[in-house]
PDB file of all heavy atoms in Angstrom:
ATOM      1  N   ARG A   1      -4.755  -5.288  18.115  1.00  0.00           N
ATOM      2  CA  ARG A   1      -4.769  -5.903  19.439  1.00  0.00           C
ATOM      3  C   ARG A   1      -5.134  -7.378  19.395  1.00  0.00           C
ATOM      4  O   ARG A   1      -4.875  -8.103  20.347  1.00  0.00           O
ATOM      5  CB  ARG A   1      -5.771  -5.172  20.347  1.00  0.00           C
ATOM      6  CG  ARG A   1      -5.521  -3.676  20.482  1.00  0.00           C
ATOM      7  CD  ARG A   1      -6.271  -3.119  21.683  1.00  0.00           C
ATOM      8  NE  ARG A   1      -7.683  -3.400  21.691  1.00  0.00           N
ATOM      9  CZ  ARG A   1      -8.603  -2.632  21.110  1.00  0.00           C
ATOM     10  NH1 ARG A   1      -8.228  -1.542  20.455  1.00  0.00           N
ATOM     11  NH2 ARG A   1      -9.881  -2.950  21.178  1.00  0.00           N
ATOM     12  N   ASN A   2      -5.751  -7.830  18.304  1.00  0.00           N
ATOM     13  CA  ASN A   2      -6.288  -9.193  18.309  1.00  0.00           C
ATOM     14  C   ASN A   2      -6.025  -9.973  17.026  1.00  0.00           C
ATOM     15  O   ASN A   2      -6.585 -11.047  16.826  1.00  0.00           O
ATOM     16  CB  ASN A   2      -7.795  -9.153  18.572  1.00  0.00           C
ATOM     17  CG  ASN A   2      -8.560  -8.497  17.425  1.00  0.00           C
ATOM     18  OD1 ASN A   2      -8.006  -7.687  16.676  1.00  0.00           O
ATOM     19  ND2 ASN A   2      -9.821  -8.848  17.291  1.00  0.00           N
ATOM     20  N   PHE A   3      -5.201  -9.423  16.125  1.00  0.00           N
ATOM     21  CA  PHE A   3      -4.924 -10.093  14.855  1.00  0.00           C
ATOM     22  C   PHE A   3      -3.503  -9.711  14.434  1.00  0.00           C
ATOM     23  O   PHE A   3      -3.101  -8.548  14.626  1.00  0.00           O
ATOM     24  CB  PHE A   3      -5.942  -9.654  13.791  1.00  0.00           C
ATOM     25  CG  PHE A   3      -5.926 -10.477  12.542  1.00  0.00           C
ATOM     26  CD1 PHE A   3      -6.441 -11.763  12.531  1.00  0.00           C
ATOM     27  CD2 PHE A   3      -5.400  -9.965  11.360  1.00  0.00           C
ATOM     28  CE1 PHE A   3      -6.435 -12.521  11.369  1.00  0.00           C
ATOM     29  CE2 PHE A   3      -5.388 -10.720  10.197  1.00  0.00           C
ATOM     30  CZ  PHE A   3      -5.909 -12.008  10.202  1.00  0.00           C
ATOM     31  N   PRO A   4      -2.719 -10.632  13.876  1.00  0.00           N
ATOM     32  CA  PRO A   4      -1.307 -10.350  13.596  1.00  0.00           C
ATOM     33  C   PRO A   4      -1.053  -9.470  12.373  1.00  0.00           C
ATOM     34  O   PRO A   4      -0.412  -9.877  11.401  1.00  0.00           O
ATOM     35  CB  PRO A   4      -0.710 -11.748  13.419  1.00  0.00           C
ATOM     36  CG  PRO A   4      -1.835 -12.585  12.940  1.00  0.00           C
ATOM     37  CD  PRO A   4      -3.061 -12.056  13.629  1.00  0.00           C
ATOM     38  N   VAL A   5      -1.590  -8.257  12.410  1.00  0.00           N
ATOM     39  CA  VAL A   5      -1.288  -7.244  11.391  1.00  0.00           C
ATOM     40  C   VAL A   5      -0.899  -5.953  12.088  1.00  0.00           C
ATOM     41  O   VAL A   5      -1.229  -5.733  13.266  1.00  0.00           O
ATOM     42  CB  VAL A   5      -2.484  -6.980  10.440  1.00  0.00           C
ATOM     43  CG1 VAL A   5      -2.872  -8.231   9.686  1.00  0.00           C
ATOM     44  CG2 VAL A   5      -3.667  -6.394  11.195  1.00  0.00           C
ATOM     45  N   GLU A   6      -0.219  -5.081  11.357  1.00  0.00           N
ATOM     46  CA  GLU A   6       0.060  -3.725  11.818  1.00  0.00           C
ATOM     47  C   GLU A   6      -0.143  -2.784  10.642  1.00  0.00           C
ATOM     48  O   GLU A   6       0.139  -3.136   9.483  1.00  0.00           O
ATOM     49  CB  GLU A   6       1.483  -3.613  12.378  1.00  0.00           C
ATOM     50  CG  GLU A   6       2.575  -4.002  11.417  1.00  0.00           C
ATOM     51  CD  GLU A   6       3.944  -4.031  12.083  1.00  0.00           C
ATOM     52  OE1 GLU A   6       4.013  -3.910  13.309  1.00  0.00           O
ATOM     53  OE2 GLU A   6       4.951  -4.179  11.348  1.00  0.00           O
ATOM     54  N   LEU A   7      -0.680  -1.603  10.940  1.00  0.00           N
ATOM     55  CA  LEU A   7      -0.979  -0.630   9.895  1.00  0.00           C
ATOM     56  C   LEU A   7       0.100   0.438   9.841  1.00  0.00           C
ATOM     57  O   LEU A   7       0.480   1.007  10.872  1.00  0.00           O
ATOM     58  CB  LEU A   7      -2.337   0.028  10.130  1.00  0.00           C
ATOM     59  CG  LEU A   7      -3.566  -0.890  10.188  1.00  0.00           C
ATOM     60  CD1 LEU A   7      -4.835  -0.057  10.115  1.00  0.00           C
ATOM     61  CD2 LEU A   7      -3.540  -1.923   9.082  1.00  0.00           C
ATOM     62  N   LEU A   8       0.565   0.709   8.617  1.00  0.00           N
ATOM     63  CA  LEU A   8       1.525   1.775   8.371  1.00  0.00           C
ATOM     64  C   LEU A   8       0.775   2.898   7.682  1.00  0.00           C
ATOM     65  O   LEU A   8       0.293   2.740   6.558  1.00  0.00           O
ATOM     66  CB  LEU A   8       2.660   1.257   7.479  1.00  0.00           C
ATOM     67  CG  LEU A   8       3.713   2.276   7.039  1.00  0.00           C
ATOM     68  CD1 LEU A   8       4.473   2.828   8.248  1.00  0.00           C
ATOM     69  CD2 LEU A   8       4.676   1.648   6.029  1.00  0.00           C
ATOM     70  N   TYR A   9       0.627   4.047   8.370  1.00  0.00           N
ATOM     71  CA  TYR A   9      -0.149   5.159   7.840  1.00  0.00           C
ATOM     72  C   TYR A   9       0.726   6.045   6.954  1.00  0.00           C
ATOM     73  O   TYR A   9       1.758   6.571   7.404  1.00  0.00           O
ATOM     74  CB  TYR A   9      -0.745   5.982   8.979  1.00  0.00           C
ATOM     75  CG  TYR A   9      -1.785   5.232   9.782  1.00  0.00           C
ATOM     76  CD1 TYR A   9      -1.533   4.847  11.097  1.00  0.00           C
ATOM     77  CD2 TYR A   9      -3.013   4.892   9.219  1.00  0.00           C
ATOM     78  CE1 TYR A   9      -2.486   4.154  11.833  1.00  0.00           C
ATOM     79  CE2 TYR A   9      -3.970   4.204   9.954  1.00  0.00           C
ATOM     80  CZ  TYR A   9      -3.696   3.837  11.252  1.00  0.00           C
ATOM     81  OH  TYR A   9      -4.647   3.151  11.967  1.00  0.00           O
ATOM     82  N   LEU A  10       0.305   6.213   5.692  1.00  0.00           N
ATOM     83  CA  LEU A  10       1.075   6.974   4.713  1.00  0.00           C
ATOM     84  C   LEU A  10       0.147   7.856   3.881  1.00  0.00           C
ATOM     85  O   LEU A  10      -1.072   7.686   3.888  1.00  0.00           O
ATOM     86  CB  LEU A  10       1.823   6.021   3.760  1.00  0.00           C
ATOM     87  CG  LEU A  10       2.864   5.069   4.361  1.00  0.00           C
ATOM     88  CD1 LEU A  10       3.350   4.114   3.287  1.00  0.00           C
ATOM     89  CD2 LEU A  10       4.035   5.850   4.950  1.00  0.00           C
ATOM     90  N   ARG A  11       0.755   8.795   3.149  1.00  0.00           N
ATOM     91  CA  ARG A  11       0.006   9.514   2.105  1.00  0.00           C
ATOM     92  C   ARG A  11      -0.348   8.516   1.007  1.00  0.00           C
ATOM     93  O   ARG A  11       0.401   7.573   0.742  1.00  0.00           O
ATOM     94  CB  ARG A  11       0.868  10.627   1.510  1.00  0.00           C
ATOM     95  CG  ARG A  11       1.020  11.857   2.377  1.00  0.00           C
ATOM     96  CD  ARG A  11       2.188  12.702   1.883  1.00  0.00           C
ATOM     97  NE  ARG A  11       2.247  12.787   0.428  1.00  0.00           N
ATOM     98  CZ  ARG A  11       1.939  13.886  -0.287  1.00  0.00           C
ATOM     99  NH1 ARG A  11       1.531  14.970   0.343  1.00  0.00           N
ATOM    100  NH2 ARG A  11       2.049  13.872  -1.587  1.00  0.00           N
ATOM    101  N   ASP A  12      -1.493   8.729   0.367  1.00  0.00           N
ATOM    102  CA  ASP A  12      -1.935   7.757  -0.636  1.00  0.00           C
ATOM    103  C   ASP A  12      -0.925   7.555  -1.757  1.00  0.00           C
ATOM    104  O   ASP A  12      -0.709   6.426  -2.217  1.00  0.00           O
ATOM    105  CB  ASP A  12      -3.307   8.142  -1.200  1.00  0.00           C
ATOM    106  CG  ASP A  12      -3.323   9.529  -1.814  1.00  0.00           C
ATOM    107  OD1 ASP A  12      -2.356  10.295  -1.627  1.00  0.00           O
ATOM    108  OD2 ASP A  12      -4.327   9.864  -2.485  1.00  0.00           O
ATOM    109  N   ASP A  13      -0.265   8.628  -2.188  1.00  0.00           N
ATOM    110  CA  ASP A  13       0.667   8.480  -3.304  1.00  0.00           C
ATOM    111  C   ASP A  13       1.990   7.831  -2.907  1.00  0.00           C
ATOM    112  O   ASP A  13       2.813   7.510  -3.770  1.00  0.00           O
ATOM    113  CB  ASP A  13       0.912   9.820  -4.008  1.00  0.00           C
ATOM    114  CG  ASP A  13       1.350  10.917  -3.060  1.00  0.00           C
ATOM    115  OD1 ASP A  13       1.416  10.672  -1.838  1.00  0.00           O
ATOM    116  OD2 ASP A  13       1.630  12.028  -3.536  1.00  0.00           O
ATOM    117  N   ASP A  14       2.213   7.615  -1.599  1.00  0.00           N
ATOM    118  CA  ASP A  14       3.419   6.913  -1.142  1.00  0.00           C
ATOM    119  C   ASP A  14       3.195   5.410  -0.975  1.00  0.00           C
ATOM    120  O   ASP A  14       4.162   4.646  -0.826  1.00  0.00           O
ATOM    121  CB  ASP A  14       3.890   7.488   0.204  1.00  0.00           C
ATOM    122  CG  ASP A  14       4.467   8.892   0.077  1.00  0.00           C
ATOM    123  OD1 ASP A  14       4.987   9.218  -1.008  1.00  0.00           O
ATOM    124  OD2 ASP A  14       4.378   9.659   1.046  1.00  0.00           O
ATOM    125  N   ILE A  15       1.939   4.974  -0.995  1.00  0.00           N
ATOM    126  CA  ILE A  15       1.638   3.569  -0.710  1.00  0.00           C
ATOM    127  C   ILE A  15       2.173   2.614  -1.779  1.00  0.00           C
ATOM    128  O   ILE A  15       2.794   1.597  -1.441  1.00  0.00           O
ATOM    129  CB  ILE A  15       0.131   3.379  -0.472  1.00  0.00           C
ATOM    130  CG1 ILE A  15      -0.276   4.099   0.825  1.00  0.00           C
ATOM    131  CG2 ILE A  15      -0.241   1.895  -0.404  1.00  0.00           C
ATOM    132  CD1 ILE A  15      -1.773   4.085   1.112  1.00  0.00           C
ATOM    133  N   PRO A  16       1.981   2.880  -3.083  1.00  0.00           N
ATOM    134  CA  PRO A  16       2.527   1.940  -4.073  1.00  0.00           C
ATOM    135  C   PRO A  16       4.032   1.731  -3.942  1.00  0.00           C
ATOM    136  O   PRO A  16       4.522   0.593  -4.055  1.00  0.00           O
ATOM    137  CB  PRO A  16       2.160   2.593  -5.416  1.00  0.00           C
ATOM    138  CG  PRO A  16       0.935   3.383  -5.116  1.00  0.00           C
ATOM    139  CD  PRO A  16       1.163   3.932  -3.738  1.00  0.00           C
ATOM    140  N   ASP A  17       4.787   2.785  -3.675  1.00  0.00           N
ATOM    141  CA  ASP A  17       6.235   2.648  -3.528  1.00  0.00           C
ATOM    142  C   ASP A  17       6.589   1.858  -2.271  1.00  0.00           C
ATOM    143  O   ASP A  17       7.505   1.027  -2.286  1.00  0.00           O
ATOM    144  CB  ASP A  17       6.893   4.029  -3.477  1.00  0.00           C
ATOM    145  CG  ASP A  17       8.411   3.940  -3.443  1.00  0.00           C
ATOM    146  OD1 ASP A  17       8.992   3.439  -4.432  1.00  0.00           O
ATOM    147  OD2 ASP A  17       9.023   4.350  -2.441  1.00  0.00           O
ATOM    148  N   ALA A  18       5.871   2.117  -1.174  1.00  0.00           N
ATOM    149  CA  ALA A  18       6.140   1.392   0.074  1.00  0.00           C
ATOM    150  C   ALA A  18       5.928  -0.108  -0.102  1.00  0.00           C
ATOM    151  O   ALA A  18       6.693  -0.920   0.416  1.00  0.00           O
ATOM    152  CB  ALA A  18       5.239   1.923   1.189  1.00  0.00           C
ATOM    153  N   VAL A  19       4.907  -0.488  -0.868  1.00  0.00           N
ATOM    154  CA  VAL A  19       4.647  -1.906  -1.113  1.00  0.00           C
ATOM    155  C   VAL A  19       5.672  -2.478  -2.090  1.00  0.00           C
ATOM    156  O   VAL A  19       6.194  -3.579  -1.894  1.00  0.00           O
ATOM    157  CB  VAL A  19       3.212  -2.103  -1.641  1.00  0.00           C
ATOM    158  CG1 VAL A  19       2.982  -3.558  -2.062  1.00  0.00           C
ATOM    159  CG2 VAL A  19       2.193  -1.695  -0.579  1.00  0.00           C
ATOM    160  N   ALA A  20       5.986  -1.726  -3.136  1.00  0.00           N
ATOM    161  CA  ALA A  20       6.932  -2.211  -4.146  1.00  0.00           C
ATOM    162  C   ALA A  20       8.319  -2.466  -3.558  1.00  0.00           C
ATOM    163  O   ALA A  20       9.008  -3.407  -3.953  1.00  0.00           O
ATOM    164  CB  ALA A  20       7.025  -1.213  -5.297  1.00  0.00           C
ATOM    165  N   THR A  21       8.720  -1.648  -2.602  1.00  0.00           N
ATOM    166  CA  THR A  21      10.058  -1.771  -2.014  1.00  0.00           C
ATOM    167  C   THR A  21      10.106  -2.701  -0.810  1.00  0.00           C
ATOM    168  O   THR A  21      11.172  -2.956  -0.260  1.00  0.00           O
ATOM    169  CB  THR A  21      10.582  -0.392  -1.587  1.00  0.00           C
ATOM    170  OG1 THR A  21       9.680   0.187  -0.635  1.00  0.00           O
ATOM    171  CG2 THR A  21      10.720   0.532  -2.791  1.00  0.00           C
ATOM    172  N   GLY A  22       8.955  -3.190  -0.362  1.00  0.00           N
ATOM    173  CA  GLY A  22       8.916  -4.102   0.765  1.00  0.00           C
ATOM    174  C   GLY A  22       8.831  -3.425   2.115  1.00  0.00           C
ATOM    175  O   GLY A  22       8.870  -4.099   3.152  1.00  0.00           O
ATOM    176  N   THR A  23       8.694  -2.091   2.139  1.00  0.00           N
ATOM    177  CA  THR A  23       8.494  -1.398   3.414  1.00  0.00           C
ATOM    178  C   THR A  23       7.190  -1.860   4.060  1.00  0.00           C
ATOM    179  O   THR A  23       7.087  -1.952   5.281  1.00  0.00           O
ATOM    180  CB  THR A  23       8.461   0.127   3.193  1.00  0.00           C
ATOM    181  OG1 THR A  23       9.677   0.529   2.560  1.00  0.00           O
ATOM    182  CG2 THR A  23       8.302   0.875   4.503  1.00  0.00           C
ATOM    183  N   ALA A  24       6.208  -2.126   3.227  1.00  0.00           N
ATOM    184  CA  ALA A  24       4.947  -2.731   3.674  1.00  0.00           C
ATOM    185  C   ALA A  24       4.737  -4.017   2.888  1.00  0.00           C
ATOM    186  O   ALA A  24       5.172  -4.127   1.737  1.00  0.00           O
ATOM    187  CB  ALA A  24       3.783  -1.776   3.456  1.00  0.00           C
ATOM    188  N   ASP A  25       4.078  -4.990   3.496  1.00  0.00           N
ATOM    189  CA  ASP A  25       3.821  -6.259   2.809  1.00  0.00           C
ATOM    190  C   ASP A  25       2.721  -6.121   1.775  1.00  0.00           C
ATOM    191  O   ASP A  25       2.817  -6.670   0.673  1.00  0.00           O
ATOM    192  CB  ASP A  25       3.436  -7.328   3.833  1.00  0.00           C
ATOM    193  CG  ASP A  25       4.555  -7.602   4.830  1.00  0.00           C
ATOM    194  OD1 ASP A  25       5.694  -7.823   4.389  1.00  0.00           O
ATOM    195  OD2 ASP A  25       4.284  -7.585   6.042  1.00  0.00           O
ATOM    196  N   ILE A  26       1.658  -5.421   2.140  1.00  0.00           N
ATOM    197  CA  ILE A  26       0.546  -5.162   1.229  1.00  0.00           C
ATOM    198  C   ILE A  26       0.071  -3.732   1.465  1.00  0.00           C
ATOM    199  O   ILE A  26       0.504  -3.072   2.418  1.00  0.00           O
ATOM    200  CB  ILE A  26      -0.626  -6.152   1.440  1.00  0.00           C
ATOM    201  CG1 ILE A  26      -1.169  -6.046   2.871  1.00  0.00           C
ATOM    202  CG2 ILE A  26      -0.208  -7.567   1.110  1.00  0.00           C
ATOM    203  CD1 ILE A  26      -2.425  -6.870   3.108  1.00  0.00           C
ATOM    204  N   GLY A  27      -0.818  -3.256   0.620  1.00  0.00           N
ATOM    205  CA  GLY A  27      -1.354  -1.912   0.798  1.00  0.00           C
ATOM    206  C   GLY A  27      -2.795  -1.837   0.345  1.00  0.00           C
ATOM    207  O   GLY A  27      -3.238  -2.648  -0.478  1.00  0.00           O
ATOM    208  N   ILE A  28      -3.518  -0.878   0.883  1.00  0.00           N
ATOM    209  CA  ILE A  28      -4.872  -0.568   0.428  1.00  0.00           C
ATOM    210  C   ILE A  28      -4.856   0.865  -0.075  1.00  0.00           C
ATOM    211  O   ILE A  28      -4.563   1.795   0.683  1.00  0.00           O
ATOM    212  CB  ILE A  28      -5.905  -0.742   1.557  1.00  0.00           C
ATOM    213  CG1 ILE A  28      -5.951  -2.210   1.998  1.00  0.00           C
ATOM    214  CG2 ILE A  28      -7.291  -0.283   1.089  1.00  0.00           C
ATOM    215  CD1 ILE A  28      -6.879  -2.481   3.173  1.00  0.00           C
ATOM    216  N   VAL A  29      -5.151   1.045  -1.362  1.00  0.00           N
ATOM    217  CA  VAL A  29      -5.005   2.349  -1.996  1.00  0.00           C
ATOM    218  C   VAL A  29      -5.921   2.409  -3.215  1.00  0.00           C
ATOM    219  O   VAL A  29      -6.410   1.374  -3.690  1.00  0.00           O
ATOM    220  CB  VAL A  29      -3.523   2.575  -2.403  1.00  0.00           C
ATOM    221  CG1 VAL A  29      -3.115   1.648  -3.542  1.00  0.00           C
ATOM    222  CG2 VAL A  29      -3.240   4.032  -2.743  1.00  0.00           C
ATOM    223  N   GLY A  30      -6.153   3.601  -3.723  1.00  0.00           N
ATOM    224  CA  GLY A  30      -6.974   3.755  -4.916  1.00  0.00           C
ATOM    225  C   GLY A  30      -6.262   3.227  -6.150  1.00  0.00           C
ATOM    226  O   GLY A  30      -5.049   3.406  -6.313  1.00  0.00           O
ATOM    227  N   LEU A  31      -7.015   2.589  -7.047  1.00  0.00           N
ATOM    228  CA  LEU A  31      -6.432   2.095  -8.295  1.00  0.00           C
ATOM    229  C   LEU A  31      -5.796   3.229  -9.092  1.00  0.00           C
ATOM    230  O   LEU A  31      -4.803   3.025  -9.791  1.00  0.00           O
ATOM    231  CB  LEU A  31      -7.520   1.405  -9.132  1.00  0.00           C
ATOM    232  CG  LEU A  31      -7.076   0.844 -10.488  1.00  0.00           C
ATOM    233  CD1 LEU A  31      -6.021  -0.243 -10.320  1.00  0.00           C
ATOM    234  CD2 LEU A  31      -8.282   0.310 -11.265  1.00  0.00           C
ATOM    235  N   ASN A  32      -6.348   4.430  -8.969  1.00  0.00           N
ATOM    236  CA  ASN A  32      -5.786   5.584  -9.679  1.00  0.00           C
ATOM    237  C   ASN A  32      -4.340   5.830  -9.280  1.00  0.00           C
ATOM    238  O   ASN A  32      -3.491   6.152 -10.126  1.00  0.00           O
ATOM    239  CB  ASN A  32      -6.635   6.836  -9.430  1.00  0.00           C
ATOM    240  CG  ASN A  32      -6.852   7.118  -7.955  1.00  0.00           C
ATOM    241  OD1 ASN A  32      -7.401   6.304  -7.232  1.00  0.00           O
ATOM    242  ND2 ASN A  32      -6.419   8.291  -7.503  1.00  0.00           N
ATOM    243  N   GLU A  33      -4.016   5.658  -7.997  1.00  0.00           N
ATOM    244  CA  GLU A  33      -2.635   5.855  -7.548  1.00  0.00           C
ATOM    245  C   GLU A  33      -1.721   4.736  -8.058  1.00  0.00           C
ATOM    246  O   GLU A  33      -0.560   4.975  -8.396  1.00  0.00           O
ATOM    247  CB  GLU A  33      -2.566   5.925  -6.019  1.00  0.00           C
ATOM    248  CG  GLU A  33      -3.204   7.167  -5.424  1.00  0.00           C
ATOM    249  CD  GLU A  33      -2.483   8.454  -5.814  1.00  0.00           C
ATOM    250  OE1 GLU A  33      -1.317   8.389  -6.248  1.00  0.00           O
ATOM    251  OE2 GLU A  33      -3.096   9.523  -5.688  1.00  0.00           O
ATOM    252  N   VAL A  34      -2.243   3.519  -8.099  1.00  0.00           N
ATOM    253  CA  VAL A  34      -1.466   2.397  -8.636  1.00  0.00           C
ATOM    254  C   VAL A  34      -1.120   2.651 -10.095  1.00  0.00           C
ATOM    255  O   VAL A  34       0.031   2.476 -10.528  1.00  0.00           O
ATOM    256  CB  VAL A  34      -2.258   1.077  -8.493  1.00  0.00           C
ATOM    257  CG1 VAL A  34      -1.489  -0.076  -9.135  1.00  0.00           C
ATOM    258  CG2 VAL A  34      -2.544   0.782  -7.032  1.00  0.00           C
ATOM    259  N   MET A  35      -2.103   3.074 -10.874  1.00  0.00           N
ATOM    260  CA  MET A  35      -1.888   3.321 -12.299  1.00  0.00           C
ATOM    261  C   MET A  35      -0.977   4.514 -12.534  1.00  0.00           C
ATOM    262  O   MET A  35      -0.179   4.525 -13.471  1.00  0.00           O
ATOM    263  CB  MET A  35      -3.234   3.548 -12.988  1.00  0.00           C
ATOM    264  CG  MET A  35      -4.201   2.381 -12.870  1.00  0.00           C
ATOM    265  SD  MET A  35      -3.600   0.900 -13.696  1.00  0.00           S
ATOM    266  CE  MET A  35      -3.717   1.389 -15.410  1.00  0.00           C
ATOM    267  N   GLU A  36      -1.074   5.526 -11.690  1.00  0.00           N
ATOM    268  CA  GLU A  36      -0.254   6.727 -11.863  1.00  0.00           C
ATOM    269  C   GLU A  36       1.205   6.461 -11.532  1.00  0.00           C
ATOM    270  O   GLU A  36       2.104   6.897 -12.266  1.00  0.00           O
ATOM    271  CB  GLU A  36      -0.790   7.853 -10.981  1.00  0.00           C
ATOM    272  CG  GLU A  36       0.038   9.131 -10.990  1.00  0.00           C
ATOM    273  CD  GLU A  36       0.117   9.811 -12.349  1.00  0.00           C
ATOM    274  OE1 GLU A  36      -0.774   9.585 -13.198  1.00  0.00           O
ATOM    275  OE2 GLU A  36       1.078  10.571 -12.574  1.00  0.00           O
ATOM    276  N   LYS A  37       1.456   5.753 -10.442  1.00  0.00           N
ATOM    277  CA  LYS A  37       2.838   5.574  -9.984  1.00  0.00           C
ATOM    278  C   LYS A  37       3.588   4.518 -10.795  1.00  0.00           C
ATOM    279  O   LYS A  37       4.810   4.590 -10.924  1.00  0.00           O
ATOM    280  CB  LYS A  37       2.863   5.202  -8.500  1.00  0.00           C
ATOM    281  CG  LYS A  37       2.261   6.272  -7.596  1.00  0.00           C
ATOM    282  CD  LYS A  37       2.912   7.618  -7.821  1.00  0.00           C
ATOM    283  CE  LYS A  37       2.270   8.702  -6.969  1.00  0.00           C
ATOM    284  NZ  LYS A  37       2.825  10.043  -7.249  1.00  0.00           N
ATOM    285  N   GLY A  38       2.882   3.523 -11.330  1.00  0.00           N
ATOM    286  CA  GLY A  38       3.530   2.531 -12.162  1.00  0.00           C
ATOM    287  C   GLY A  38       4.596   1.711 -11.454  1.00  0.00           C
ATOM    288  O   GLY A  38       5.582   1.295 -12.072  1.00  0.00           O
ATOM    289  N   LYS A  39       4.427   1.447 -10.173  1.00  0.00           N
ATOM    290  CA  LYS A  39       5.396   0.673  -9.403  1.00  0.00           C
ATOM    291  C   LYS A  39       5.181  -0.836  -9.626  1.00  0.00           C
ATOM    292  O   LYS A  39       4.189  -1.264 -10.205  1.00  0.00           O
ATOM    293  CB  LYS A  39       5.279   1.004  -7.911  1.00  0.00           C
ATOM    294  CG  LYS A  39       5.533   2.470  -7.576  1.00  0.00           C
ATOM    295  CD  LYS A  39       6.963   2.879  -7.900  1.00  0.00           C
ATOM    296  CE  LYS A  39       7.230   4.328  -7.522  1.00  0.00           C
ATOM    297  NZ  LYS A  39       8.624   4.734  -7.797  1.00  0.00           N
ATOM    298  N   ASP A  40       6.160  -1.626  -9.148  1.00  0.00           N
ATOM    299  CA  ASP A  40       6.092  -3.078  -9.322  1.00  0.00           C
ATOM    300  C   ASP A  40       5.157  -3.702  -8.293  1.00  0.00           C
ATOM    301  O   ASP A  40       5.585  -4.351  -7.327  1.00  0.00           O
ATOM    302  CB  ASP A  40       7.489  -3.690  -9.203  1.00  0.00           C
ATOM    303  CG  ASP A  40       8.382  -3.304 -10.359  1.00  0.00           C
ATOM    304  OD1 ASP A  40       7.848  -3.120 -11.470  1.00  0.00           O
ATOM    305  OD2 ASP A  40       9.600  -3.174 -10.164  1.00  0.00           O
ATOM    306  N   VAL A  41       3.869  -3.505  -8.501  1.00  0.00           N
ATOM    307  CA  VAL A  41       2.858  -4.081  -7.609  1.00  0.00           C
ATOM    308  C   VAL A  41       1.768  -4.747  -8.433  1.00  0.00           C
ATOM    309  O   VAL A  41       1.537  -4.391  -9.589  1.00  0.00           O
ATOM    310  CB  VAL A  41       2.234  -3.016  -6.669  1.00  0.00           C
ATOM    311  CG1 VAL A  41       3.289  -2.387  -5.778  1.00  0.00           C
ATOM    312  CG2 VAL A  41       1.493  -1.953  -7.467  1.00  0.00           C
ATOM    313  N   ASN A  42       1.118  -5.711  -7.811  1.00  0.00           N
ATOM    314  CA  ASN A  42      -0.040  -6.382  -8.400  1.00  0.00           C
ATOM    315  C   ASN A  42      -1.291  -6.046  -7.615  1.00  0.00           C
ATOM    316  O   ASN A  42      -1.227  -5.880  -6.393  1.00  0.00           O
ATOM    317  CB  ASN A  42       0.140  -7.910  -8.371  1.00  0.00           C
ATOM    318  CG  ASN A  42       1.135  -8.394  -9.407  1.00  0.00           C
ATOM    319  OD1 ASN A  42       1.262  -7.804 -10.474  1.00  0.00           O
ATOM    320  ND2 ASN A  42       1.847  -9.467  -9.081  1.00  0.00           N
ATOM    321  N   VAL A  43      -2.408  -5.955  -8.295  1.00  0.00           N
ATOM    322  CA  VAL A  43      -3.691  -5.820  -7.616  1.00  0.00           C
ATOM    323  C   VAL A  43      -4.140  -7.206  -7.188  1.00  0.00           C
ATOM    324  O   VAL A  43      -4.431  -8.068  -8.023  1.00  0.00           O
ATOM    325  CB  VAL A  43      -4.741  -5.163  -8.528  1.00  0.00           C
ATOM    326  CG1 VAL A  43      -6.116  -5.177  -7.852  1.00  0.00           C
ATOM    327  CG2 VAL A  43      -4.340  -3.728  -8.865  1.00  0.00           C
ATOM    328  N   VAL A  44      -4.166  -7.437  -5.870  1.00  0.00           N
ATOM    329  CA  VAL A  44      -4.577  -8.730  -5.322  1.00  0.00           C
ATOM    330  C   VAL A  44      -6.093  -8.861  -5.314  1.00  0.00           C
ATOM    331  O   VAL A  44      -6.644  -9.903  -5.652  1.00  0.00           O
ATOM    332  CB  VAL A  44      -4.032  -8.902  -3.885  1.00  0.00           C
ATOM    333  CG1 VAL A  44      -4.528 -10.203  -3.261  1.00  0.00           C
ATOM    334  CG2 VAL A  44      -2.507  -8.851  -3.886  1.00  0.00           C
ATOM    335  N   LYS A  45      -6.772  -7.762  -4.949  1.00  0.00           N
ATOM    336  CA  LYS A  45      -8.232  -7.813  -4.847  1.00  0.00           C
ATOM    337  C   LYS A  45      -8.832  -6.419  -4.944  1.00  0.00           C
ATOM    338  O   LYS A  45      -8.431  -5.521  -4.203  1.00  0.00           O
ATOM    339  CB  LYS A  45      -8.648  -8.452  -3.519  1.00  0.00           C
ATOM    340  CG  LYS A  45     -10.158  -8.502  -3.287  1.00  0.00           C
ATOM    341  CD  LYS A  45     -10.497  -9.133  -1.964  1.00  0.00           C
ATOM    342  CE  LYS A  45     -10.258 -10.602  -1.983  1.00  0.00           C
ATOM    343  NZ  LYS A  45     -11.142 -11.318  -2.965  1.00  0.00           N
TER     344      LYS A  45
END
């Protein structure tokens, strides 16, 4: 309501793919899921 973001609610194991394909701009997810899925994403923080 007060900041230019929108949240896309997904299953945790779908988040790396959604970010890698551009469906979402960024994602917040467990490092374990990032390492397991091996998608084209970088850990920003």
Side-chain angles (χ1 to χ4, degrees):
R1 304 197 306 272
N2 67 335
F3 192 73
V5 299
E6 57 187 9
L7 301 193
L8 176 63
Y9 294 111
L10 298 173
R11 284 164 41 108
D12 57 348
D13 54 357
D14 290 332
I15 293 175
D17 185 64
V19 173
T21 59
T23 303
D25 298 310
I26 60 173
I28 296 176
V29 69
L31 179 62
N32 53 301
E33 291 295 342
V34 176
M35 301 296 291
E36 176 63 23
K37 299 306 177 184
K39 300 296 182 179
D40 292 328
V41 299
N42 286 328
V43 174
V44 176
K45 178 180 288 296

